[in-house]
Amino acid sequence: MPPKRKPTDSAASGAKKSKPAAKKPEVEDVETERALDKRWAPVSVSRNADSGFRFQTRDPVKAFTYVCLGRAPWKTQVAEDESGEDEESVEQKKKDDAEADDATTLEPASEHLGEKWIFTNAGVAKWIATKQGTSVRDPDNFDMYVYNDFFGYAIMELVENLLLDFDEAAGDWKMQWAICEAAGLYFQTDAIMPMVGCDDGKTVNKVCVAFATMFLTMLATLERNDLFKPDSEVKNIGAIIGLFIRFIVDLEPYNIIWDDHDSKIKTYATKYDVTIHGLNRECYEKAAGETVELPEATADDNDPWGWRKVLAELKKNSNGTLGGDSKDITSWTPAERKKAAFNKKDPIPRSAMTHIKNGDIMELGG
């Protein structure tokens, strides 16, 4: 455990307001209850977010219907260098803004043909559930200090749940695709950066590579099921390929050993003439070198990229424990929260915990 640091005045700026969101329906089927109990504490926002996602995706027709996002799923940063504004960033922001149409947000994709950024309802729901698990893992939101890099390791725990979700959905390619959508969307935000900055670079590398391997496994599954064809049920292959390549390129400065995973991903697009979206800056356009030889989709018992081995090694590296909600602060006892709070009082009111016990999601902020 990294050494503790003393709280600063800026960190102890007062508790954030919290409010309960709409109550989530209770999970009724036994199998889902078992799946929830295996990973979550009896009470936590993470548990409620996962339960809500499962409820929202019970209707497979609605869950895997495509909706528009309305704009590119990243915030274009206008950077400045020593000579002034970064012209490439300025021009890219103009392009992104010009393509955006907020009026189409969450509108059926079938009513807006030609939209680039479309996702399944299930993918959007899993993305939202993941974001809900982010804020409740940030000690700053509760005026708490736990230890150096706690938030980074908490984000690692959070995204490991996506890896587990993907593995548990084996045999259900639609759900696995939704999980890849959610991961691709989440990785376009700054939320992943605390994890990347953790002092355990070896584990950070393993987690990042696991996501690239997961996506390659997904692409092999699409190939095996003949889902790269022009009239495929999967309507946004180019968008998700683009998001994962952006993820890989964005983390290259942090010394992640990718083993040409971006080239492997891009080769699928080249092989099936898929137009990749999102590679609209020089750094992304240059990503991925020459095409590589792809394995047969049926090799090694339908695991051509060694997904099971990668996941097993990650579990071994984590002493058999991946994901869960141990770093979700709403899963802690009042005594545990008091110990880490700057004022030594429980930062979560009893009324808020009652809402969480009833299945609500805590929304932090003003």
Side-chain angles (χ1 to χ4, degrees), residues 127-144:
W127 174 41
I128 291 172
T130 304
K131 291 197 296 181
Q132 289 169 333
T134 302
S135 60
V136 293
R137 285 172 168 78
D138 187 351
D140 286 349
N141 286 332
F142 300 93
D143 293 316
M144 297 168 59

Side-chain angles (χ1 to χ4, degrees), residues 6 11 15 85 121 127 137 184 226 245 263 266 283 300 316 335 341 357:
K6 295 181 180 180
E85 292 183 335
N121 279 308
W127 174 41
R137 285 172 168 78
D226 193 24
I245 290 178
S263 296
K266 202 169 186 179
C283 61
D300 299 326
K316 182 179 179 180
K357 289 176 182 178

